[in-house]
Amino acid sequence: MSALRKVLVIGSGLGGLTLAQSLRGGGIDVAVFERDASPWDRPQGYRLHLDDDAVNAAREVLPGHLVALFEATSQFTEPFTTILKTDLSVVRRLPAHDDHGDVWPGRENRVHANVDRATLRQILMSGLDDVIHFGKELVRYEDTPDGVTAYFGDGTTAHGDVLVGADGIRSAVRARRAPHLTTVDAGITALYGRLPLNAARSRVPAEALQDIFAIASDDRKVFLGLGSVRFPTAPARAAADHSPGTAVRDQDDYVVCVVGGRHQFFPATGDLSGERLRDLAARTVADWPGLAADLIRQGDAESFFPVRMYTSVPGTLDAPTNVTLLGDAVHAMTPTLGRGANLAMRDATLLGRTLRTVAAGDRELDEALHHYERDMTAYGFSVVRQAARIGEQRMAQNPLPE
Ligand SMILES: Cc1cc2nc3c(=O)[nH]c(=O)nc-3n(C[C@H](O)[C@H](O)[C@H](O)COP(=O)(O)OP(=O)(O)OC[C@H]3O[C@@H](n4cnc5c(N)ncnc54)[C@H](O)[C@@H]3O)c2cc1C
């Protein structure tokens, strides 16, 4: 394989943007191609739980002023999940199990933060205006003697030495690079919405809003999850938010609320308005004692949206080519552990490090991609299995096929 001059990244999710920041920081020519017409085309969720992987990835790939903005807009939490009874009283606080191997030597360990997804994406996009191309849906790619050519739905093409599929769970890149790797329905639907923080404060114990997440579930394995997102250091945020083009939108503190379980409890959610989804969420826990249904009814009706959960089926990648994958494009998982974005950002940072050594002439591309793919699939699919096991226990997720 040839030396590294240009990297094409398909997808501007958290993984693709992290990789673009890393490559840009290393002086490598990178172009990102995004199917959506703009960054805010569709709702992509609210709160994200970040652990050592995403926090240290952001600290490694972003320039200093964006690291400051990232820190200032993160709510660093206690390293616990609060387990609640259905009356929303506390049963216990489960410590998080942090095992990130030796990926982040010299950096902070056992760190947990709740962040607003749109804010994080905005920070990761900062400074990349000339690199990201919107309205570019990859439809196919072809290997050529000197690299790889990407073909887009609008009839345009792009050429690079390496193409990275960071295009999420329905990856078009994976469909060609690793067609044997599949995803399956996890059997779970979840309804997500936002509550004002004050409405939650008066109805749930304080721990539930300090920890990573709080969760209650019933005999049907229907669950209610709550995770707060606060912007705790407004002055620091204002101070950090100084460079043109990086201003993050004003946000009120909020609590993300999720009600989920087997599909049968949430029929035909695709056709329902936000208000009807909020009502369905509240009705699903109406038999619970205490304030669960009342709490959900405090939610912003427009904010509710449904998610049908899918998971990757673990497998292997064939010998490396100059096309590789990261994040949900290869190892999507159910959000039981809150780790999908963390792994996407870990993959992107490790791939960025690897490609930088290739660009510096210290390593051959095929050998570098071989090591990246071997490590990434090992830890990625291990977490997919772990998420599925916990999902089976806690929310009756379908077992992974053998
Ligand atoms: C409701 C919900 C809550 C979650 N909570 C957490 C959490 O708390 N913590 C956590 O770590 N993870 C969480 N996850 C998982 C996390 O969101 C994903 O793992 C993460 O977003 C994956 O990032 P990615 O960059 O690999 O893919 P994505 O974020 O899916 O980005 C893929 C991008 O590629 C683009 N694209 C797709 N196809 C094409 C194409 N053909 N051409 C060009 N562009 C294309 C898409 O438009 C998209 O912008 C949650 C997921 C959901 C659904």
Side-chain angles (χ1 to χ4, degrees), residues 11 15 34-35 42 49 117 138 167 192 328 338-342:
E34 168 57 50
R35 175 185 58 188
R42 60 197 161 83
H49 157 244
R117 180 191 283 262
L138 180 98
D167 51 344
Y192 283 79
D328 278 12
R339 299 232 38 217
N342 286 285

Side-chain angles (χ1 to χ4, degrees), residues 10-16 33-36 42 44 47-49 117 121 136-138 166-169 172 192 305 307 326-329 335 338-342 344:
I10 309 302
S12 73
L14 301 171
F33 298 93
E34 168 57 50
R35 175 185 58 188
D36 291 347
R42 60 197 161 83
Q44 299 197 338
R47 162 217 172 257
L48 273 178
H49 157 244
R117 180 191 283 262
R121 194 153 176 252
K136 297 281 179 190
E137 178 174 12
L138 180 98
D167 51 344
I169 189 163
Y192 283 79
F305 70 95
V307 175
L326 64 77
D328 278 12
R339 299 232 38 217
N342 286 285

Side-chain angles (χ1 to χ4, degrees), residues 184-354:
V184 290
D185 182 357
I188 304 298
T189 296
L191 309 180
Y192 283 79
R194 287 166 60 135
L195 310 169
L197 181 61
N198 282 341
R201 272 207 181 109
S202 56
R203 290 169 176 84
V204 297
E207 298 93 311
L209 303 178
Q210 281 156 11
D211 288 346
I212 299 166
F213 203 57
I215 189 152
S217 64
D218 66 16
D219 298 343
R220 302 167 298 169
K221 296 198 175 174
V222 163
F223 62 91
L224 164 66
L226 301 167
S228 67
V229 178
R230 275 171 274 169
F231 298 97
T233 55
R237 183 182 149 213
D241 197 357
H242 64 270
S243 54
T246 58
V248 294
R249 291 176 308 167
D250 254 348
Q251 288 272 358
D252 290 331
D253 297 342
Y254 66 85
V255 174
V256 72
C257 137
V258 47
V259 176
R262 298 285 308 168
H263 294 320
Q264 71 203 65
F265 301 115
F266 304 92
T269 50
D271 300 331
L272 299 182
S273 66
E275 192 171 359
R276 302 274 303 276
L277 290 169
R278 183 184 64 182
D279 290 347
L280 175 59
R283 274 189 280 117
T284 309
V285 298
D287 291 346
W288 291 15
L291 293 173
D294 173 59
L295 176 68
I296 294 163
R297 290 204 175 90
Q298 309 307 312
D300 165 13
E302 293 310 307
S303 71
F304 278 75
F305 70 95
V307 175
R308 267 178 91 94
M309 293 183 189
Y310 288 80
T311 175
S312 294
V313 180
T316 51
L317 275 178
D318 297 336
T321 66
N322 48 6
V323 175
T324 192
L325 297 162
L326 64 77
D328 278 12
V330 57
H331 48 58
M333 61 198 70
T334 48
T336 45
L337 299 169
R339 299 232 38 217
N342 286 285
L343 289 192
M345 291 177 69
R346 183 210 278 216
D347 295 352
T349 306
L350 296 187
L351 181 58
R353 280 185 202 165
T354 293

Side-chain angles (χ1 to χ4, degrees), residues 146-209:
D146 64 342
V148 54
T149 301
Y151 294 82
F152 301 102
D154 63 0
T156 58
T157 61
H159 189 76
D161 301 305
V162 174
L163 181 141
V164 180
D167 51 344
I169 189 163
R170 289 182 188 79
S171 170
V173 179
R174 183 188 67 235
R176 165 109 197 266
R177 169 71 178 83
H180 59 286
L181 290 181
T182 55
T183 60
V184 290
D185 182 357
I188 304 298
T189 296
L191 309 180
Y192 283 79
R194 287 166 60 135
L195 310 169
L197 181 61
N198 282 341
R201 272 207 181 109
S202 56
R203 290 169 176 84
V204 297
E207 298 93 311
L209 303 178

